Amino acid sequence: MSKLLVTLGFVFLSAFGFSQDTLTVSKSDLKQKLAEKNLQLQIARKNYQSAKADYQQSNALFLPNITASYTGMATTNPLMAFGSKLNQEILTQADFNPALLNDPKTTQNFATKIEIQQPLVNLDGIFGRQAAKAKMEAFQLQTQRTEEYLSLEVSKAYMQLQLAYKAVTVLEKAESTAKANLKLVDNYFKQGLLQKTDVLNVQVRVNDISNQLQYAKSNVQNASDYLGFLINEDMQGKTFKPSEALDYEIKVEVVDWQLSDNRKDIQAMQKSSAAYQKMLTMSKMSFLPRLNAFGSYEWYDSQFLGTAAKGYLVGAQLSWNLFDGYKSVGKYDKAKADFQKASLETEQYKKQSQLEFNKTNRQLKDAENKVGLSQLAFEQAQEAYRIRQNRFAQGLEKTTDLLVSETQMIQKELEHLQAVFEYQFTQEYLQFLTK
């Protein structure tokens, strides 16, 4: 008796937990939350921001580099002591005494310096900046494509939730029908019209349907949890319920689907390939000389924070790396291989995308045909069950035949719902492939 009470309590809590905190959601609401909270999308956006920061660093190619420093020192080094006095503009004739030059007293020097470095001609840097820009644009396109993919994933999960709820409805109805049949069979048994085995067979069937119903309810929670994961929401004690139910009918649209190079992931691959091409050109330009300007303004004094003496320095430098032990040659060969690899990967990706598009296009037609056939099979199974149920009530059918017919009807209804889900998802996936 105690075991029975525990079991009944567990069933009650399970049923209560299934209906507790059920939140009705629409697909549009989920997609809005997806754009705001999805972790994968946030990661993609951070990748774009990182690439954007790399591009911003390339502004140093045109803007000056300005630094300020303050240095204080004390020295008895002959050269440093003489130079410090010279910078401070305090040299006298006595300082040229060889004894003082060779063995100077401790000399203090405080220097304030502002230094400017201005790039003038750096051809390799120009192409490096272009490569960084192409990389940034590639990440931006990848982020947009990630958002499109996650939107598709939300649609799929939402339809799975619809399918799960529909399966629960079908199995609850089947459970109710099975229990009604059990009651009828039990009455016939009590009247001596049927054997005990018939009652047991129907009881087994009721238990099977109850077990399937429990699995269907678990699928509802699984689909809800996955939707919660996509929108980064805690699903503890919560269950989602779709505001729209899965329809038994489908809307067939005659559209001439075409794969386009304007698809964002293909554009991202092309931008990535362009970035590698710019890197290759940058490696070529590294063999050419660079021209940079520089300048500084300085204040010197023997006292802390003093500025008694001052001076400036301006100039330009033309530098040319004539030989670096084949380091530049190696970088060029690597950049060339990377560019060729990126070009091949882009070509391969486009062909794979075309292959996937052709496959999905055929799957859509197959799914449409499957929906029609499964609907016909379901209607036929319904009619067969109705006839057998009437004949069974008249004592003209066996219990096993009725159970087989009932099982087939439920199976065909679930298969039809699955076919509708497959068609709707395939249709959305095809749209995703052609965006």
Side-chain angles (χ1 to χ4, degrees):
M1 185 65 182
S2 60
K3 291 184 177 179
L4 177 61
L5 291 175
V6 171
T7 303
L8 290 175
F10 175 75
V11 171
F12 173 76
L13 289 175
S14 298
F16 180 73
F18 177 72
S19 59
Q20 189 180 20
D21 296 332
T22 300
L23 308 177
T24 301
V25 292
S26 65
K27 189 185 295 187
S28 59
D29 292 337
L30 290 171
K31 289 187 176 181
Q32 182 178 356
K33 290 183 178 180
L34 173 83
E36 297 171 355
K37 301 172 63 177
N38 180 265
L39 295 178
Q40 184 177 349
L41 189 55
Q42 292 182 40
I43 292 172
R45 288 169 179 163
K46 294 302 178 184
N47 287 333
Y48 165 68
Q49 292 175 5
S50 176
K52 184 178 180 181
D54 287 338
Y55 176 64
Q56 290 175 338
Q57 292 181 40
S58 66
N59 289 334
L61 181 66
F62 308 108
L63 301 177
N65 179 34
I66 303 175
T67 60
S69 64
Y70 185 80
T71 305
M73 69 174 188
T75 181
T76 57
N77 180 280
L79 182 61
M80 296 294 294
F82 185 83
S84 296
K85 287 186 175 182
L86 186 61
N87 284 330
Q88 295 170 16
E89 301 176 1
I90 58 173
L91 276 178
T92 62
Q93 186 67 34
D95 291 315
F96 288 93
N97 184 345
L100 293 177
L101 286 174
N102 292 326
D103 189 17
K105 297 179 180 179
T106 300
T107 303
Q108 292 184 336
N109 185 54
F110 295 92
T112 304
K113 184 176 182 181
I114 296 178
E115 189 173 9
I116 299 176
Q117 295 176 331
Q118 175 64 55
L120 296 179
V121 180
N122 294 275
L123 297 178
D124 57 337
I126 292 175
F127 287 97
R129 176 179 170 85
Q130 293 176 0
K133 183 179 181 180
K135 177 185 174 183
M136 177 189 70
E137 292 172 346
F139 273 104
Q140 184 178 29
L141 290 166
Q142 287 178 0
T143 301
Q144 293 171 356
R145 187 59 175 175
T146 299
E147 187 170 3
E148 291 176 352
Y149 165 74
L150 291 171
S151 178
L152 172 70
E153 198 68 12
V154 163
S155 295
K156 179 182 177 182
Y158 189 77
M159 287 187 288
Q160 287 175 332
L161 186 64
Q162 289 176 317
L163 179 63
Y165 268 100
K166 205 71 173 180
V168 168
T169 302
V170 170
L171 290 169
E172 284 177 341
K173 180 181 176 182
E175 185 182 43
S176 177
T177 302
K179 288 180 179 180
N181 288 337
L182 177 60
K183 184 177 181 181
L184 180 64
V185 169
D186 189 55
N187 288 334
Y188 285 165
F189 169 70
K190 291 177 181 179
Q191 297 173 19
L193 301 176
L194 294 175
Q195 298 179 359
K196 183 65 176 178
T197 55
D198 294 318
V199 179
L200 293 175
N201 285 335
V202 178
Q203 286 178 337
V204 169
R205 177 59 185 159
V206 171
N207 293 335
D208 286 342
I209 294 177
S210 298
N211 189 42
Q212 292 179 39
L213 179 59
Q214 185 58 45
Y215 274 106
K217 291 180 178 180
S218 295
N219 286 336
V220 168
Q221 191 61 54
N222 292 337
S224 295
D225 289 346
Y226 185 57
L227 277 172
F229 166 75
L230 289 175
I231 63 174
N232 193 26
E233 187 168 318
D234 184 14
M235 293 302 296
Q236 186 69 31
K238 298 178 184 177
T239 303
F240 283 145
K241 183 177 182 180
S243 57
E244 310 93 8
L246 184 68
D247 200 352
Y248 279 88
E249 304 293 333
I250 62 172
K251 296 179 181 179
V252 179
E253 298 179 2
V254 180
V255 181
D256 184 20
W257 305 102
Q258 296 292 333
L259 186 66
S260 173
D261 284 348
N262 292 327
R263 211 173 74 181
K264 291 182 176 60
D265 54 340
I266 296 178
Q267 286 184 330
M269 293 290 291
Q270 292 171 339
K271 286 290 184 181
S272 178
S273 180
Y276 280 108
Q277 186 180 28
K278 297 299 182 182
M279 293 291 288
L280 175 61
T281 307
M282 183 184 75
S283 296
K284 289 181 181 178
M285 295 298 105
S286 67
F287 293 102
L288 298 179
R290 302 175 182 179
L291 180 61
N292 298 293
F294 59 89
S296 64
Y297 202 90
E298 304 162 1
W299 292 266
Y300 296 97
D301 204 299
S302 60
Q303 302 298 320
F304 180 67
L305 296 180
T307 57
K310 56 188 175 182
Y312 70 86
L313 172 70
V314 294
Q317 182 186 46
L318 180 66
S319 60
W320 196 347
N321 191 351
L322 299 177
F323 183 73
D324 59 2
Y326 289 103
K327 182 179 179 180
S328 297
V329 174
K331 286 184 177 180
Y332 171 78
D333 291 339
K334 183 179 184 299
K336 183 178 180 181
D338 289 341
F339 168 61
Q340 292 172 343
K341 176 186 173 183
S343 299
L344 291 172
E345 287 176 343
T346 301
E347 183 181 358
Q348 181 189 40
Y349 188 79
K350 290 172 67 175
K351 289 184 176 180
Q352 284 180 336
S353 299
Q354 184 66 53
L355 187 66
E356 182 70 12
F357 168 76
N358 294 339
K359 175 185 174 183
T360 307
N361 209 10
R362 289 189 292 267
Q363 285 178 338
L364 183 64
K365 295 178 181 178
D366 293 339
E368 180 184 346
N369 184 57
K370 184 177 180 180
V371 169
L373 293 176
S374 63
Q375 183 175 8
L376 179 61
F378 171 51
E379 292 172 354
Q380 292 172 341
Q382 274 184 313
E383 181 64 16
Y385 175 71
R386 186 188 65 81
I387 294 172
R388 288 188 182 277
Q389 191 177 38
N390 290 337
R391 288 173 60 81
F392 178 77
Q394 299 171 11
L396 301 176
E397 288 286 348
K398 297 179 181 179
T399 306
T400 54
D401 293 335
L402 178 66
L403 293 177
V404 169
S405 182
E406 179 196 11
T407 302
Q408 186 180 48
M409 180 184 67
I410 297 172
Q411 180 183 356
K412 294 305 177 184
E413 185 173 7
L414 293 176
E415 286 179 357
H416 178 61
L417 291 172
Q418 180 67 29
V420 171
F421 163 77
E422 290 176 1
Y423 176 83
Q424 291 182 345
F425 173 69
T426 305
Q427 191 177 49
E428 291 211 20
Y429 185 52
L430 195 59
Q431 292 175 351
F432 169 74
L433 291 177
T434 54
K435 277 187 177 180

